[in-house]
Amino acid sequence: MASETDTTAGIEDGVRRRDFINIAAVSFAGVGAAAVVLPLVNQMNPSADVLAQSTTEIDISAIQPGQAIKTSWRKQPVFVRNLVPAEIAAAKKVPLSDLRDPQTIDERTKPGKENWLITLGVCTHLGCVPLGAAEGENRGDFGGYFCPCHGSHYDTAARIRKGPAPKNLVVPPYEFNSDTVVTIG
Amino acid sequence: MSFPWAKNYEPQQPLMKWLDEKLPLPRLVYNAIGAGYPVPRNLNYFWNFGVLAGVALVIQIVTGIVLAMHYAANAGVAFNSVEHIMRDVNAGWFIRYAHMNGASMFFIVVYLHIFRGLYYGSYKAPREMVWLLGVVIFLLMMATAFMGYVLPWGQMSFWGAQVITGFFSAIPAVGDPIRVWLLGGFAPDNAALNRFFSLHYLLPFVIAGVIILHIWALHIPGSSNPTGIEVKDEQDTVPFHPYYTAKDGFGVGVFLLLFVTLTFFSPNLLGHADNYIAANPLSTPAHIVPEWYFWPFYAILRAFTFNFLWIDAKLWGVLAMFAAIALLFFLPWLDSSPVKSSNYRPLNRIFFWVLVADVFILGWCGKSPAEQPYVLLSQLGAAYYFAHFLIILPIISRIERPLPMPNSITEAVLAKHADAPSAATA
Ligand code: HEM
Ligand code: FES
């Protein structure tokens, strides 16, 4: 009896003490639950050792003009291609308005080193490795790379020209340490 | 919940009486799949596939748990550990082939189960919830099978993981971070393999839980039947046991026969040879194909080769593929015909078979390389698939004149057997 009257104390303003306790307890539990979810979500992100593989040095001295090599950075394939002048000229000739993801070849290479086209070998459609880096592989309709998975064609600046891929092959962050050594990452 | 004439569980032995008072588990079984559950008397063999799906799940769980005792989820050794299962572990080849082909059998059974529902209108009131939970199970199965296929860490495993997680990068702005978060890296690797293994172990048990809800929801109105007419009185039903335990038992026998034939005589028929090559992150196989049960959806994904409105081709493909499944959630409300069974729906019956043909054509395109004529065929096939559910079905369910229907299940059954001598006395 006594407790029943207690819970209705202060009922005049429409708020019971129990309402306050209820809201406070549930909010507190909610904050606690959110605090626990945070590490559970965050553990899914790349771990420190995966991130530690973030830079790779490549020796490019052996790549002849017209050739390309395939190497890897952060477990992803990277294409390093030594363009011949005709390929650079072909890329320059394309009007930007023809491009799905408009970028000039200068934006995709380093000044003075525009023969070095360094991109990820990851098709921007669903991530297959395009063909065209190794000798004799299909380079597609535009002489760059061709992704066999769903038929994306890239040009000599590795820009998307035809097929389902939405973007150009990604140019990773990189620096020339010297004329023959590049650090990616 | 059941019909008023359902038999009551009355334990005879003292031990069963004692158990019934403390934990009425035998009573639950009796009322769910025993003599205490009345079922329409006219179910045909298409009603076997629910039980068969349950059997397939049990087979996957048993073989899977045994595989997990020998398998190592580490990108460095996963491929070799599967070869170790195949060559060194006693009967390992059998367990693995059973699990591999069990997944295919599971999908064959579930697809037949789904198309049964489409033909006989099982998705309609009062069984909408049964259907919705079924679609949830289907989604969970696809996730489970996808992650399972990654575990052997062969070329198809690796590139399947790359392509499927690539879907998420189609989401504007947050797509790439989501993909990296899902993989725990920038490409599929150890982190991804480990989490896929963990989830591949978990999801079948989640599926088992949703199956319990699915059956719970089913047992409120009870099973539908080939006429689509609801049960009216006791004459329309027979007890589940022994009638359907026997019929399902026979079906399980046939199912197991086909299953072992596949497993023993052509275990790799439905697989892909490239998955016996260890994963190589630097080289994509010339032709990436998912497992057969994903082919129709894969064809819809690839049907979009052009940007349209302000959305690019890649995002369209991904949206369309998910929409193709999500559409099934709305089916009970897209089809407004009060008649369930296509036996009495002359128009729907025709379009049902056209849809079946369309799904087969999509499947064939999904398996083929992304070139003409398959690209055009997938585009037409995908357009038809959506048109079926969004345009054709709503229209025919309004204009169609159903055939005359019998008044009850019993009347339908007796009419069918009117010529048989025994029917006169029935
Ligand atoms: C819904 C049920 C399940 C389905 C559809 C399914 C599907 C699959 C598939 C398609 C594979 C790849 C087979 C191959 O190509 O080698 C696989 C592999 C595997 N599954 Fe399952 N699975 C299921 C349940 C389970 C359960 C409950 C476990 C228990 C841990 C399990 C453990 C494994 C293991 C260890 C592998 C890798 C070994 C191998 O490749 O054969 N699975 N699963
Ligand atoms: S992944 Fe390259 S075209 Fe689809």
Side-chain angles (χ1 to χ4, degrees):
Chain A
M1 274 304 270
S3 64
E4 236 168 56
T5 43
D6 275 352
T7 58
T8 51
I11 196 88
E12 307 89 67
D13 55 0
V15 183
R16 293 180 306 161
R17 212 162 52 151
R18 211 163 260 191
D19 291 332
F20 172 76
I21 294 172
N22 242 327
I23 292 169
V26 170
S27 324
F28 196 70
V31 171
V36 173
V37 165
L38 214 68
L40 285 177
V41 169
N42 196 26
Q43 55 82 24
M44 295 274 283
N45 278 316
S47 55
D49 58 326
V50 169
L51 292 174
Q53 300 162 343
S54 284
T55 59
T56 305
E57 273 196 6
I58 329 170
D59 180 356
I60 56 171
S61 57
I63 310 170
Q64 299 302 315
Q67 278 190 342
I69 60 157
K70 219 191 265 185
T71 153
S72 97
W73 169 63
R74 297 202 304 200
K75 301 266 174 170
Q76 293 173 288
V78 171
F79 294 156
V80 182
R81 187 149 163 185
N82 191 348
L83 297 172
V84 296
E87 290 173 322
I88 300 174
K92 288 202 161 155
K93 245 191 358 236
V94 186
L96 281 188
S97 54
D98 278 9
L99 296 173
R100 186 176 297 172
D101 180 12
Q103 262 186 330
T104 62
I105 188 164
D106 297 330
E107 291 171 274
R108 296 174 57 74
T109 52
K110 299 277 174 200
K113 304 227 183 268
E114 60 182 16
N115 60 319
W116 289 109
L117 179 67
I118 301 181
T119 60
L120 293 188
V122 180
C123 179
T124 58
H125 182 225
L126 295 172
C128 292
V129 181
L131 300 173
E135 209 67 52
E137 279 179 357
N138 184 352
R139 292 188 162 186
D141 294 355
F142 299 86
Y145 300 104
F146 169 68
C147 181
C149 288
H150 317 99
S152 287
H153 299 253
Y154 296 88
D155 68 9
T156 52
R159 296 174 298 194
I160 180 66
R161 299 297 291 278
K162 191 173 142 191
K167 297 267 178 224
N168 303 333
L169 289 188
V170 172
V171 177
Y174 67 90
E175 290 304 333
F176 279 89
N177 301 0
S178 69
D179 276 351
T180 55
V181 180
V182 175
T183 301
I184 302 183
Chain B
M1 169 65 217
S2 189
F3 301 112
W5 58 88
K7 273 193 232 138
N8 229 326
Y9 179 65
E10 272 150 21
Q12 300 301 320
Q13 293 133 318
L15 176 68
M16 295 311 274
K17 280 186 182 150
W18 177 85
L19 185 60
D20 190 45
E21 279 168 19
K22 318 296 175 215
L23 179 74
L25 192 61
R27 176 179 294 272
L28 183 78
V29 172
Y30 184 89
N31 290 333
I33 53 168
Y37 178 49
V39 187
R41 60 193 282 182
N42 60 336
L43 300 191
N44 61 27
Y45 276 109
F46 282 104
W47 266 259
N48 278 43
F49 291 95
V51 164
L52 293 181
V55 170
L57 178 69
V58 170
I59 293 174
Q60 288 310 92
I61 290 181
V62 171
T63 52
I65 288 176
V66 175
L67 282 175
M69 295 177 186
H70 304 279
Y71 169 80
N74 178 295
V77 295
F79 183 83
N80 289 339
S81 81
V82 172
E83 286 309 303
H84 156 78
I85 292 172
M86 293 299 286
R87 294 154 196 244
D88 304 337
V89 173
N90 300 308
W93 61 272
F94 168 64
I95 310 281
R96 173 166 183 251
Y97 276 158
H99 194 75
M100 241 170 91
N101 289 290
S104 281
M105 293 301 286
F106 197 177
F107 275 95
I108 292 173
V109 163
V110 164
Y111 278 127
L112 285 165
H113 191 63
I114 293 174
F115 278 103
R116 185 282 313 264
L118 289 177
Y119 184 86
Y120 290 110
S122 307
Y123 48 85
K124 292 187 187 185
R127 295 179 190 79
E128 308 95 310
M129 186 51 81
V130 183
W131 175 260
L132 298 181
L133 289 166
V135 181
V136 170
I137 293 170
F138 182 48
L139 282 168
L140 287 169
M141 272 178 70
M142 295 207 279
T144 308
F146 158 64
M147 289 191 273
Y149 195 58
V150 175
L151 303 184
W153 212 240
Q155 272 291 65
M156 282 296 163
S157 300
F158 181 91
W159 291 100
Q162 171 83 336
V163 167
I164 306 276
T165 55
F167 294 168
F168 291 92
S169 66
I171 304 168
V174 291
D176 278 313
I178 288 183
R179 176 165 184 273
V180 169
W181 178 78
L182 284 171
L183 287 174
F186 303 95
D189 200 15
N190 214 22
L193 178 59
N194 269 285
R195 65 189 56 174
F196 283 7
F197 182 48
S198 173
L199 294 174
H200 184 70
Y201 208 136
L202 169 70
L203 287 188
F205 297 93
V206 177
I207 293 176
V210 183
I211 287 174
I212 290 175
L213 300 183
H214 184 70
I215 295 173
W216 188 6
L218 171 69
H219 281 194
I220 292 171
S223 290
S224 184
N225 66 85
T227 66
I229 301 165
E230 293 299 329
V231 167
K232 296 209 165 89
D233 58 37
E234 189 169 1
Q235 269 200 324
D236 293 342
T237 66
V238 290
F240 192 88
H241 179 73
Y243 291 93
Y244 287 110
T245 40
K247 189 161 181 159
D248 282 332
F250 177 71
V252 170
V254 174
F255 167 80
L256 290 178
L257 220 61
L258 293 174
F259 182 23
V260 294
T261 307
L262 185 66
T263 306
F264 288 132
F265 293 106
S266 43
N268 291 306
L269 177 71
L270 301 172
H272 199 293
D274 278 13
N275 221 25
Y276 287 102
I277 303 169
N280 177 359
L282 294 186
S283 156
T284 310
H287 178 38
I288 297 187
V289 271
E291 293 278 84
W292 69 266
Y293 32 82
F294 294 131
W295 288 346
F297 300 105
Y298 196 55
I300 293 176
L301 169 81
R302 296 192 304 182
F304 287 86
T305 51
F306 45 86
N307 295 354
F308 179 56
L309 300 178
W310 64 98
I311 298 180
D312 67 41
K314 172 173 161 180
L315 186 54
W316 268 119
V318 173
L319 289 176
M321 190 185 63
F322 283 110
I325 300 164
L327 205 52
L328 297 177
F329 282 114
F330 298 96
L331 184 58
W333 296 277
L334 289 169
D335 178 357
S336 60
S337 168
V339 178
K340 293 195 191 81
S341 170
S342 293
N343 283 351
Y344 303 102
R345 299 186 62 187
L347 272 178
N348 192 55
R349 187 160 61 204
I350 296 170
F351 284 103
F352 168 82
W353 288 110
V354 179
L355 178 72
V356 171
D358 185 55
V359 170
F360 271 97
I361 291 172
L362 281 172
W364 181 52
C365 293
K367 154 191 210 276
S368 307
E371 4 175 285
Q372 296 300 359
Y374 306 113
V375 176
L376 183 66
L377 259 181
S378 348
Q379 287 165 345
L380 295 174
Y384 185 82
Y385 180 92
F386 286 101
H388 175 88
F389 289 105
L390 294 174
I391 302 171
I392 297 173
L393 198 57
I395 291 179
I396 59 174
S397 61
R398 283 179 178 79
I399 62 168
E400 180 178 53
R401 271 195 58 191
L403 301 178
M405 312 248 303
N407 289 316
S408 71
I409 293 173
T410 302
E411 195 186 294
V413 172
L414 294 186
K416 201 164 146 195
H417 296 288
D419 319 325
S422 61
T425 55

mmCIF file of all heavy atoms in Angstrom, chain A residues 123 125-128 147 149-152 164, ligand 2:
data_model
loop_
_atom_site.group_PDB
_atom_site.id
_atom_site.type_symbol
_atom_site.label_atom_id
_atom_site.label_comp_id
_atom_site.label_asym_id
_atom_site.label_seq_id
_atom_site.Cartn_x
_atom_site.Cartn_y
_atom_site.Cartn_z
ATOM 1 N N CYS A 123 40.712 -3.819 -61.785
ATOM 2 C CA CYS A 123 39.642 -3.252 -62.595
ATOM 3 C C CYS A 123 38.656 -2.531 -61.681
ATOM 4 O O CYS A 123 38.286 -3.040 -60.618
ATOM 5 C CB CYS A 123 38.938 -4.375 -63.349
ATOM 6 S SG CYS A 123 37.568 -3.804 -64.355
ATOM 7 N N HIS A 125 35.690 -2.016 -62.101
ATOM 8 C CA HIS A 125 34.356 -2.609 -62.085
ATOM 9 C C HIS A 125 34.233 -3.460 -60.829
ATOM 10 O O HIS A 125 33.842 -2.958 -59.786
ATOM 11 C CB HIS A 125 34.120 -3.420 -63.371
ATOM 12 C CG HIS A 125 32.753 -4.013 -63.440
ATOM 13 N ND1 HIS A 125 32.533 -5.297 -63.825
ATOM 14 C CD2 HIS A 125 31.546 -3.483 -63.157
ATOM 15 C CE1 HIS A 125 31.222 -5.548 -63.789
ATOM 16 N NE2 HIS A 125 30.609 -4.462 -63.385
ATOM 17 N N LEU A 126 34.633 -4.712 -60.896
ATOM 18 C CA LEU A 126 34.505 -5.551 -59.705
ATOM 19 C C LEU A 126 35.832 -6.138 -59.260
ATOM 20 O O LEU A 126 35.863 -7.083 -58.485
ATOM 21 C CB LEU A 126 33.468 -6.644 -59.943
ATOM 22 C CG LEU A 126 32.042 -6.109 -60.150
ATOM 23 C CD1 LEU A 126 31.107 -7.225 -60.565
ATOM 24 C CD2 LEU A 126 31.518 -5.429 -58.900
ATOM 25 N N GLY A 127 36.937 -5.570 -59.752
ATOM 26 C CA GLY A 127 38.207 -5.911 -59.131
ATOM 27 C C GLY A 127 39.036 -7.013 -59.744
ATOM 28 O O GLY A 127 39.978 -7.483 -59.117
ATOM 29 N N CYS A 128 38.741 -7.460 -60.956
ATOM 30 C CA CYS A 128 39.623 -8.440 -61.590
ATOM 31 C C CYS A 128 40.941 -7.763 -61.977
ATOM 32 O O CYS A 128 41.036 -6.542 -62.000
ATOM 33 C CB CYS A 128 38.988 -9.000 -62.857
ATOM 34 S SG CYS A 128 37.558 -10.028 -62.544
ATOM 35 N N CYS A 147 39.984 -5.936 -69.408
ATOM 36 C CA CYS A 147 39.550 -6.801 -68.314
ATOM 37 C C CYS A 147 38.601 -7.855 -68.870
ATOM 38 O O CYS A 147 37.544 -7.531 -69.390
ATOM 39 C CB CYS A 147 38.864 -5.993 -67.228
ATOM 40 S SG CYS A 147 38.371 -7.053 -65.865
ATOM 41 N N CYS A 149 36.882 -10.051 -67.333
ATOM 42 C CA CYS A 149 35.766 -10.519 -66.513
ATOM 43 C C CYS A 149 34.425 -10.088 -67.092
ATOM 44 O O CYS A 149 33.527 -10.893 -67.266
ATOM 45 C CB CYS A 149 35.913 -10.033 -65.080
ATOM 46 S SG CYS A 149 37.245 -10.921 -64.276
ATOM 47 N N HIS A 150 34.291 -8.803 -67.357
ATOM 48 C CA HIS A 150 33.034 -8.339 -67.928
ATOM 49 C C HIS A 150 33.296 -7.389 -69.090
ATOM 50 O O HIS A 150 32.452 -6.589 -69.458
ATOM 51 C CB HIS A 150 32.168 -7.652 -66.854
ATOM 52 C CG HIS A 150 32.171 -8.405 -65.568
ATOM 53 N ND1 HIS A 150 32.975 -8.052 -64.515
ATOM 54 C CD2 HIS A 150 31.520 -9.526 -65.206
ATOM 55 C CE1 HIS A 150 32.812 -8.939 -63.539
ATOM 56 N NE2 HIS A 150 31.940 -9.831 -63.922
ATOM 57 N N GLY A 151 34.507 -7.446 -69.609
ATOM 58 C CA GLY A 151 34.810 -6.727 -70.838
ATOM 59 C C GLY A 151 35.001 -5.227 -70.708
ATOM 60 O O GLY A 151 34.389 -4.463 -71.438
ATOM 61 N N SER A 152 35.885 -4.777 -69.807
ATOM 62 C CA SER A 152 36.205 -3.343 -69.746
ATOM 63 C C SER A 152 37.502 -3.078 -70.510
ATOM 64 O O SER A 152 38.490 -3.805 -70.351
ATOM 65 C CB SER A 152 36.367 -2.889 -68.296
ATOM 66 O OG SER A 152 35.115 -2.837 -67.665
ATOM 67 N N PRO A 164 31.786 -2.016 -68.520
ATOM 68 C CA PRO A 164 31.020 -1.611 -67.339
ATOM 69 C C PRO A 164 31.802 -0.831 -66.274
ATOM 70 O O PRO A 164 31.191 -0.271 -65.375
ATOM 71 C CB PRO A 164 30.536 -2.948 -66.766
ATOM 72 C CG PRO A 164 31.557 -3.933 -67.206
ATOM 73 C CD PRO A 164 32.059 -3.455 -68.532
HETATM 74 S S1 FES C 2 35.858 -6.698 -63.107
HETATM 75 FE FE1 FES C 2 36.740 -5.885 -64.871
HETATM 76 S S2 FES C 2 35.068 -5.735 -66.176
HETATM 77 FE FE2 FES C 2 34.135 -6.496 -64.371
#
